[in-house]
């Protein structure tokens, strides 16, 4: 159901006329107007979605760069951990050698 609201003056001017004929006569123009409004709405919605997509793509790119940096940092940390582990083993051996040489004296 469609409800049409008219100003009092417009309603009085339509009094005595066949409103159904007037509506049917203007229906094609109303349909064109609705189609144009719908098309405009779609264009605006598309533009907003494209803008949002661009923003999301930029955020994804930032996350990708962050992830790649994190992987590089992890690799560096693992190399450093291995180096420190080897250094600790060497120091432990030297300490044990010093301890065993002192007890043998």
């Amino acid at each position: 159901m469609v409800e049409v609201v008219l100003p009092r003056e417009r309603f009085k001017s339509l009094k005595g006329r066949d409103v159904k004929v007037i509506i049917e006569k203007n229906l094609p123009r109303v349909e064109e107007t609705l189609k144009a409004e719908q098309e405009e709405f779609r264009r605006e919605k598309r533009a907003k979605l494209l803008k949002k997509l661009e923003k999301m793509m930029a955020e994804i790119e930032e996350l990708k760069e962050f992830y790649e940096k994190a992987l590089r940092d992890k690799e560096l940390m693992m190399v450093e951990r291995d180096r420190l582990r080897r250094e600790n083993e060497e120091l432990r051996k030297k300490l044990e050698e010093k301890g065993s040489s002192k007890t043998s004296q």
Side-chain angles (χ1 to χ4, degrees):
M1 183 174 138
V2 175
E3 185 175 316
V4 179
V5 179
L6 297 172
R8 185 179 298 264
E9 299 81 29
R10 182 74 174 146
F11 180 76
K12 285 181 182 179
S13 72
L14 294 174
K15 201 171 185 181
R17 295 175 69 187
D18 190 357
V19 177
K20 186 176 179 182
V21 171
I22 295 171
I23 291 173
E24 287 175 355
K25 180 182 169 188
N26 290 307
L27 196 56
R29 289 191 333 199
V30 171
E31 287 175 348
E32 281 183 42
T33 302
L34 287 174
K35 285 179 184 178
E37 287 177 359
Q38 188 177 37
E39 186 65 30
E40 180 63 27
F41 173 78
R42 287 181 180 161
R43 270 192 236 111
E44 290 173 2
K45 187 76 167 175
R46 183 176 185 270
K48 288 178 186 176
L49 289 172
L50 286 173
K51 189 175 182 177
K52 189 172 185 177
L53 177 63
E54 286 177 20
K55 182 180 177 185
M56 291 172 71
M57 294 298 283
E59 289 175 359
I60 288 172
E61 191 60 35
E62 287 177 20
L63 287 172
K64 182 180 172 187
E65 289 172 10
F66 177 79
Y67 178 73
E68 289 171 355
K69 183 182 181 312
L71 287 178
R72 288 190 305 270
D73 289 350
K74 178 184 176 189
E75 186 64 34
L76 289 173
M77 295 301 284
M78 293 185 75
V79 168
E80 184 63 17
R81 183 184 68 180
D82 289 342
R83 185 189 69 76
L84 289 172
R85 183 180 297 131
R86 286 191 303 272
E87 186 179 315
N88 272 346
E89 287 174 12
E90 290 173 16
L91 291 172
R92 194 173 294 122
K93 285 179 185 176
K94 287 180 182 179
L95 188 60
E96 287 174 2
E97 288 173 4
K98 273 188 175 182
S100 63
S101 65
K102 283 185 179 180
T103 57
S104 62
Q105 288 180 357

